[in-house]
């Protein structure tokens, strides 16, 4: 009660917080979130998970900045997949049906579920090598007539 009254009266002591030992790191910046590949899988997972969603942990793949989202540790045998060279990684990642498998320097694996490209496009990591083709819609004669009638 006494503290509340001191504050209300404007007489509460003001003690500045010392800078030493402060744990607040401020808002993370994208340039500080690059993945350092010379770490064990647990550290890679924690780095990716710790930067998920903002600012997003990123690396360079084929000369393009790619941001990783949705990681989990993978404790299984190495899955079948298509190799993907990642700048700075000691061994290539594997694009599998479940996502992108990356390896720590301890040989253990991390599964990444989503990738985002510089243009903002996000895809499931398992679709990295899938072509981005969109089929043109072809109408039958009957459908063309119906479309004209609707117009």
């Amino acid at each position: 009660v006494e503290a509340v009254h001191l504050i209300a009266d404007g007489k509460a002591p003001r003690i500045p917080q010392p800078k030493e030992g402060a744990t607040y790191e401020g808002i993370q910046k994208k340039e500080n979130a690059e993945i350092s590949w010379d770490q064990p899988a647990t550290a890679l997972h924690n780095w990716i998970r710790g930067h998920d969603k903002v600012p997003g942990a990123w690396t360079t793949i084929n000369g393009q900045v790619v941001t990783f989202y949705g990681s989990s540790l993978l404790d299984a045998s190495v899955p079948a997949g298509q190799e993907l060279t990642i700048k700075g990684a000691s061994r290539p990642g594997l694009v599998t049906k479940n996502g992108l498998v990356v390896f720590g320097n301890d040989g253990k694996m991390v599964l990444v579920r989503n990738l985002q490209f510089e243009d903002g496009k996000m895809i499931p990591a398992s679709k990295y090598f899938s072509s981005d083709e969109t089929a043109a819609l072809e109408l039958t004669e009957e459908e063309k007539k119906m479309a004209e009638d609707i117009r």
Side-chain angles (χ1 to χ4, degrees):
V1 173
E2 180 185 345
V4 172
H5 289 296
L6 286 172
I7 293 169
D9 296 339
K11 297 178 182 175
R14 295 176 189 245
I15 303 168
Q17 182 176 347
K19 300 278 186 211
E20 301 119 25
T23 59
Y24 177 73
E25 295 177 23
I27 297 172
Q28 276 284 3
K29 294 183 173 82
K30 186 75 170 185
E31 59 266 16
N32 297 334
E34 183 174 8
I35 300 168
S36 171
W37 292 102
D38 191 26
Q39 302 181 72
T42 303
L44 291 175
H45 165 61
N46 287 336
W47 185 261
I48 295 167
R49 185 180 60 157
H51 289 86
D52 200 344
K53 278 292 185 187
V54 176
W58 61 275
T59 192
T60 305
I61 300 174
N62 296 326
Q64 184 178 20
V65 171
V66 178
T67 306
F68 289 11
Y69 295 108
S71 74
S72 57
L73 291 170
L74 189 60
D75 189 22
S77 58
V78 177
Q82 192 170 350
E83 286 192 355
L84 178 63
T85 303
I86 299 171
K87 181 181 177 186
S90 58
R91 74 189 264 194
L94 293 172
V95 176
T96 70
K97 64 179 181 164
N98 295 322
L100 173 62
V101 175
V102 293
F103 298 88
N105 62 7
D106 57 358
K108 294 185 179 175
M109 298 175 286
V110 176
L111 177 66
V112 178
R113 298 205 190 295
N114 296 303
L115 303 174
Q116 185 174 30
F117 300 98
E118 289 175 293
D119 63 4
K121 181 179 178 185
M122 186 177 287
I123 63 165
S126 60
K127 304 288 185 203
Y128 184 84
F129 288 115
S130 298
S131 61
D132 193 26
E133 298 171 4
T134 54
L137 181 63
E138 293 184 29
L139 302 176
T140 64
E141 288 304 317
E142 183 179 325
E143 291 168 330
K144 287 178 186 175
K145 183 183 181 315
M146 187 183 300
E148 262 321 297
D149 291 347
I150 291 172
R151 276 194 201 110

